């Protein structure tokens, strides 16, 4: 197993350090939330450190991030956002254990250590799922006839699809899930995952980055459909996958995966709250579920509903008002 890199030396930490591997980590609410959570959990000595990597960064940069955690005793683990697929692709051989979801989805959001082993977990199928379930409730698709249109086919989008495929009750599965992505590679990754599963969901793969074509896809969705922005546009990159003229289906749920940034897609949806009866959700709950799951994994704690409630309440106390 290779564990060498020359350009990025491992930094020896003197306090327990939890990493946040993202794009613009300093701007995340977790910087304020994390110290509060460590107080709640009785671990105030643990500090959070951001590692900003470029979108689709070099394999060397991803391997260096993983090696820092693997080889430094005080680096206890971390949460990965945006880079979930790219990081695992570049550094898969550095892990001693990958959970079944990570193996199936080819992505990880959690890096932790147990008894000397470096472990990777894909928490998104759990956290995207917990958030989606809280938004739509039971039997949504049977009740409404809605479908799903998801812009972006990265780690979080794939996790959402997997969560829906795994729903045991037919009323909790959409009849159709349209997955739109700029590059073909991400769609192929999704297709490869789905081919190993059995599902009655009709999954359509659309390679596209033209907002006008996305508008046409939006217009083709039935009422009550769930329209997801999982592209990172409006936070990681400017803009929105649709134009200002894109019409949401009546009674649609517009789910923006982010909760900070320009959030253009969310504002486009908000403008249709009255005219199209669009319900708009942002990524705050997803953020809280995502982080609590990874903190629990890295710290090896049992995330009971009581502990989750205390952490959720601490996070809410420092949530910035929506812009
Ligand atoms: N609230 C939360 O806690 C939370 C949790 C999870 C994710 N998120 C956010 O959700 C976003 C996605 O996360 P992720 O981990 O899935 O990231 P990711 O793996 O980078 O996926 C983003 C995908 O969107 C595609 N894309 C970008 N622009 C596009 C466009 N105009 N049209 C179609 N596809 C486009 C990219 O395609 P290419 O392959 O061509 O680059 C990429 O496959 C990030 O901004 C992340 O911060 C938030």
């Amino acid at each position: 197993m290779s564990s060498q890199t020359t350009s990025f030396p491992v930094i020896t930490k003197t306090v327990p350090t939890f990493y946040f591997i993202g794009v613009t980590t300093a701007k995340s609410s977790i910087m304020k939330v994390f110290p509060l959570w460590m107080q709640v959990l009785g671990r105030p000595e643990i500090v959070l450190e951001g590692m900003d990597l470029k979108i689709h960064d070099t394999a060397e940069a991803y391997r260096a991030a993983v090696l820092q955690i693997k080889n430094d005793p005080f680096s206890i683990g971390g949460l990965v956002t945006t880079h979930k697929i790219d990081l695992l692709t570049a550094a898969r051989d550095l892990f001693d254990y990958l959970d079944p979801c990570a193996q199936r989805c080819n992505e990880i959001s959690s890096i932790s250590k147990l008894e000397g082993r470096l472990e990777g977990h894909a928490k998104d199928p759990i956290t995207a799922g917990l958030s989606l379930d809280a938004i739509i409730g039971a039997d949504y698709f049977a009740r409404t006839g809605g479908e799903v249109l998801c812009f972006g086919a990265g780690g979080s989008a794939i996790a959402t699809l997997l969560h829906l495929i795994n729903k045991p009750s037919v009323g909790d599965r959409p009849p159709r899930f349209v997955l739109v992505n700029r590059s073909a590679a991400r769609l192929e990754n999704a297709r490869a995952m789905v081919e190993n599963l059995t599902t009655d969901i009709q999954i359509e793969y659309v390679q596209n980055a033209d907002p006008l074509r996305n508008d046409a896809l939006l217009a083709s969705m039935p009422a009550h459909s769930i329209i997801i922005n999982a592209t990172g546009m409006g936070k990681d990159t400017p803009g929105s996958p649709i134009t200002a003229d894109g019409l949401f289906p009546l009674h649609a749920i517009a789910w923006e995966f982010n909760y900070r940034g320009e959030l253009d897609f969310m504002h486009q949806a908000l403008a249709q709250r009255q005219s199209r009866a669009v319900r708009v959700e942002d990524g705050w709950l997803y953020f809280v579920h995502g982080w609590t799951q990874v903190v629990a994994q890295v710290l090896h704690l049992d995330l009971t509903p009581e502990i989750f409630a205390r952490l959720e309440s601490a996070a809410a106390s420092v949530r910035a008002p929506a812009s």
Side-chain angles (χ1 to χ4, degrees):
M1 189 177 286
S2 163
S3 62
Q4 295 305 309
T5 185
T6 47
S7 319
F8 300 88
V10 169
I11 298 160
T12 306
K13 295 288 175 183
T14 52
V15 289
T17 305
F18 186 118
Y19 293 91
F20 173 18
I21 303 173
V23 181
T24 51
T25 57
K27 293 185 189 159
S28 172
S29 295
I30 197 62
M31 294 300 176
K32 285 187 204 146
V33 170
F34 192 88
L36 297 181
W37 283 1
M38 292 307 110
Q39 294 285 351
V40 169
L41 297 174
R43 300 293 306 273
E45 74 281 10
I46 301 175
V47 300
L48 180 66
E49 186 173 312
M51 271 192 203
D52 287 348
L53 300 179
K54 292 196 286 289
I55 292 174
H56 299 314
D57 212 326
T58 61
E60 195 184 29
Y62 288 122
R63 291 180 70 79
V66 174
L67 285 168
Q68 172 65 37
I69 298 171
K70 185 177 173 93
N71 292 339
D72 173 52
F74 269 114
S75 296
I76 60 172
L79 176 142
V80 185
T81 186
T82 304
H83 310 288
K84 291 169 210 157
I85 294 174
D86 290 335
L87 180 141
L88 186 59
T89 304
R92 198 178 188 107
D93 61 303
L94 301 178
F95 287 88
D96 303 299
Y97 170 80
L98 293 172
D99 80 342
C101 272
Q103 294 184 37
R104 197 177 307 122
C105 303
N106 291 314
E107 53 115 344
I108 53 166
S109 51
S110 166
I111 302 175
S112 58
K113 291 174 169 178
L114 185 63
E115 293 161 0
R117 291 194 306 275
L118 188 71
E119 302 195 332
H121 291 79
K123 295 289 182 189
D124 260 12
I126 303 167
T127 58
L130 287 167
S131 315
L132 181 61
D133 290 352
I135 290 169
I136 64 178
D139 223 25
Y140 181 81
F141 299 103
R143 281 189 282 114
T144 65
E147 299 177 345
V148 180
L149 170 61
C150 182
F151 298 118
S156 53
I158 302 294
T160 305
L161 173 59
L162 183 62
H163 171 74
L164 290 169
I165 289 174
N166 286 336
K167 281 284 180 190
S169 166
V170 67
D172 291 326
R173 297 193 296 268
R176 195 166 69 113
F177 190 113
V178 183
L179 194 56
V180 185
N181 200 71
R182 183 172 54 191
S183 70
R186 290 291 169 86
L187 294 170
E188 281 315 311
N189 181 54
R191 203 191 293 269
M193 178 193 80
V194 169
E195 272 170 10
N196 289 321
L197 303 166
T198 305
T199 183
D200 56 3
I201 302 174
Q202 185 193 331
I203 301 163
E204 293 176 15
Y205 305 89
V206 181
Q207 188 189 350
N208 177 50
D210 175 3
L212 285 174
R213 186 158 172 225
N214 285 340
D215 285 358
L217 290 167
L218 189 65
S220 73
M221 300 302 290
H224 298 278
S225 287
I226 302 168
I227 316 296
I228 299 172
N229 179 24
T231 63
M233 295 183 82
K235 190 198 111 208
D236 301 330
T237 58
S240 164
I242 58 170
T243 76
D245 295 327
L247 272 192
F248 282 81
L250 284 171
H251 304 285
I253 296 178
W255 187 16
E256 163 60 62
F257 269 4
N258 285 304
Y259 66 89
R260 66 184 171 94
E262 296 300 316
L263 303 178
D264 306 50
F265 172 87
M266 196 178 95
H267 290 293
Q268 289 166 332
L270 284 170
Q272 297 180 39
R273 252 188 316 187
Q274 309 295 331
S275 58
R276 310 285 297 166
V278 176
R279 184 175 143 203
V280 184
E281 300 287 340
D282 73 3
W284 179 259
L285 188 60
Y286 194 172
F287 163 80
V288 175
H289 278 304
W291 271 96
T292 51
Q293 289 288 332
V294 177
V295 165
Q297 184 67 52
V298 173
L299 272 56
H300 303 292
L301 64 90
D302 181 14
L303 187 62
T304 62
E306 292 71 27
I307 294 177
F308 177 81
R310 289 179 63 201
L311 298 177
E312 187 184 25
S313 153
S317 73
V318 292
R319 182 174 187 185
S323 54

